[in-house]
Amino acid sequence: MGKHIIFTASFLISLAVNLLCLNVGIYNIPQHLYYIPILLGVFWYKRTGILLTVFTSCTYIVSVLPYDRDGEMILAAVVRSAIFLGVSLMVYILNTRNLKNEKNLYRNMERLHTILHSIRDGVIVTNVCGNIEIINPKAEEICIIADISALNKPITEVLNVYDEMNEKIIFQTPDCRNNSCSVPFSQSGYIITSNGSKKEVEVHIMPVLQADGMQTGNTIIIRDITEKKKVENQIRFLTYHDKMTGLYNRRYFEQAVFQMDEPSNYPITIMIGDVNGLKLTNDAFGHLAGDRLLVAAASSLSRVLKEKDILARWGGDEFIMLLPNTDIEEANSIIHDINRYNKKTFVDSINLSISLGYAVKYNNEYDMSAVMKQADDMMYKEKLSISRSVKNRTVNIILQSLYVKNPLEREHSMGVSQLADKLGVILGLGNSEIIDLRVLGQIHDVGKITIDDAILNKPDKLTEDEYEIITRHSEKGYQIIKASPELMYLSEEVLSHHERYDGTGYPRGLKREEIPKLARILAVADAIESMLSDKPYRKALTLEQIIHELRVNSGTQFDPEVVEASYKILTI
């Protein structure tokens, strides 16, 4: 509204002054006052301003008519009006072009602002003296600074990059005096932020040049590569290290063994160790327990290392050691030290045991691969000599762990063992088979060590998934017992003690004589002991109820011959 009033006022004043001057005979000066509304109209109203110029020019010509005597004033007024229109058009074109340039500049500035705020790299722009003129939010985040505190400060007060040798990287900035030009370059290093934290960065510097090639500043791109470096270091670490134990891996050892095969390291010993009972531990207590056993073995072996010694995980349950300047006497001492430490080390009730073998190379007559073969052969012989006792001891530990975990299992196993013994006598079995039945009663449910207590003792009905877990205990028990040299001959009976006489049992659906005889006897003893005992989901059954259940399931779940024998026990 204000510009309309100003434009109208300037037009009326110009007209009034022009008429006043014409009345007093002044003809050449007052018409220049019309430039004021003409310029205002073009600036403010753009194209409409040109029409206003035409209107102003016509007004000027009309105002001159009463004072024209010879036609010269009209001609001069027409010429001046043409000049008015020309000036108006020229100003309009220049103003339009200027406005367009301003819009483009604003648009470009907005784009630049958007780009600087959206890119994932930090951007810092410095002037000719190295003072910061622009800094984007990412650069503030990387350097942990505030925009206000960084602007107009020297770049060296905000960003200092150090290389791997902890040397400060000097930014090439133009000299304020001679405006010398620096060269683009890139550098990796680290920065110490304003809060003292360390960040790995990549820095790229590009000079800002004028059209004549003179430098006006620098554009600095800074990228935080801390996480990238962590991943690279992790990948580099895993290339030559075992993830679980943190020891060197086989790849590293194979390279190191030939690098160290030189006279200055003779005598050089290769020692190979194999963790005993790992598979049994995995089967009984789960792979996490097995992993803990491996970590404990790695710790045990690491204790004896000297500065130049190398310990690596060779694969699975095997470790290998490269011991330069170590002879037979010292190798035996190392094994003695390891074994003494292992006797005091337990993982989930399992005593740590490592079979160790070694071989020594004194000169270049033997190839290192042959020395490794000797060490492996010695380790294997050692493993054979102690494996039986270790496995038997481990099975006993597993049984004891089951009884500690669930005391009712001890009572159940002892009860089944006694009932199976009696059934064996009634069925006329030999003394050896009766002893086997007694042992089977104690070990048949060893696979339950792998089942969670909450499922074993659940008072409510089991879900399908829980029932599936329960049914797998005979397979788990089979794997555990099969690993024991002294008990492995009973593994089939442990696997089959939940088979049914009609072939609808688990895990293999065996029927009749396909089921081992001792397993058929054990199934009846197991059922009787279970029915005689209180359970979380029911009370113990009476003898009459038990006999009824056995009779109903004779020929389907149970062997009829064994059921008949059981009546003699229950009716005594």
Side-chain angles (χ1 to χ4, degrees), residues 64-136:
V64 171
L65 286 175
Y67 303 98
D68 185 28
R69 298 184 178 84
D70 54 8
E72 291 183 4
M73 291 183 66
I74 295 296
L75 181 59
V78 171
V79 172
R80 289 192 183 95
S81 296
I83 293 172
F84 290 161
L85 187 58
V87 169
S88 176
L89 287 170
M90 183 177 66
V91 171
Y92 169 75
I93 292 171
L94 292 175
N95 186 44
T96 301
R97 185 177 299 170
N98 183 56
L99 288 173
K100 185 176 181 180
N101 290 337
E102 286 183 0
K103 286 182 178 180
N104 289 336
L105 179 61
Y106 178 78
R107 189 181 298 112
N108 290 335
M109 290 298 292
E110 284 296 308
R111 287 175 179 171
L112 177 62
H113 181 271
T114 301
I115 291 171
L116 288 176
H117 280 69
S118 61
I119 59 176
R120 299 170 63 182
D121 294 333
V123 179
I124 300 175
V125 179
T126 62
N127 61 17
V128 71
C129 292
N131 295 328
I132 296 174
E133 291 186 336
I134 298 174
I135 180 168
N136 75 337

Side-chain angles (χ1 to χ4, degrees), residues 40 53 102 254 541:
L40 290 176
T53 299
E102 286 183 0
E254 287 175 341
L541 276 61

Side-chain angles (χ1 to χ4, degrees), residues 350-362:
I350 303 296
N351 186 203
L352 176 62
S353 174
I354 305 174
S355 296
L356 294 163
Y358 69 89
V360 183
K361 178 176 181 178
Y362 287 93

Side-chain angles (χ1 to χ4, degrees), residues 3-22:
K3 66 182 181 181
H4 299 330
I5 295 174
I6 294 173
F7 173 78
T8 303
S10 66
F11 172 74
L12 294 176
I13 291 171
S14 299
L15 178 60
V17 171
N18 185 54
L19 291 174
L20 182 62
C21 291
L22 288 172

Side-chain angles (χ1 to χ4, degrees), residues 135-203:
I135 180 168
N136 75 337
K138 190 62 179 181
E140 296 170 19
E141 177 188 328
I142 293 172
C143 300
I144 312 181
I145 53 176
D147 180 59
I148 297 175
S149 65
L151 289 176
N152 300 317
K153 281 189 175 181
I155 184 64
T156 51
E157 291 186 17
V158 174
L159 182 64
N160 287 306
V161 184
Y162 301 86
D163 60 19
E164 294 180 355
M165 304 299 294
N166 297 322
E167 295 289 336
K168 188 174 180 180
I169 298 171
I170 305 299
F171 293 137
Q172 291 178 299
T173 55
D175 192 307
C176 293
R177 292 166 295 179
N178 56 27
N179 206 22
S180 61
C181 184
S182 63
V183 180
F185 79 97
S186 299
Q187 183 75 47
S188 295
Y190 68 89
I191 63 171
I192 304 298
T193 64
S194 59
N195 68 355
S197 62
K198 180 179 177 180
K199 290 185 178 181
E200 299 282 347
V201 296
E202 285 180 353
V203 178

Side-chain angles (χ1 to χ4, degrees), residues 242-248 273-275 278 290-305 310-314 316-321 338 341-342 345 347 352-354 356:
D242 174 57
K243 183 178 180 181
M244 182 192 302
T245 62
L247 301 179
Y248 290 118
D274 189 291
V275 180
L278 178 63
D291 292 347
R292 289 192 290 272
L293 194 64
L294 287 171
V295 172
S299 176
S300 171
L301 297 173
S302 297
R303 290 175 54 260
V304 301
L305 295 179
I310 294 174
L311 170 62
R313 186 179 177 195
W314 194 241
D317 52 5
E318 286 190 343
F319 296 86
I320 190 165
M321 302 169 72
I338 293 170
Y341 176 80
N342 290 348
T345 304
V347 177
L352 176 62
S353 174
I354 305 174
L356 294 163

Side-chain angles (χ1 to χ4, degrees), residues 453-472:
D453 289 347
I455 298 176
L456 280 177
N457 301 319
K458 187 176 180 180
D460 304 320
K461 183 179 179 180
L462 297 175
T463 65
E464 289 186 11
D465 290 341
E466 291 169 340
Y467 180 74
E468 178 67 24
I469 293 172
I470 289 287
T471 59
R472 286 203 294 267

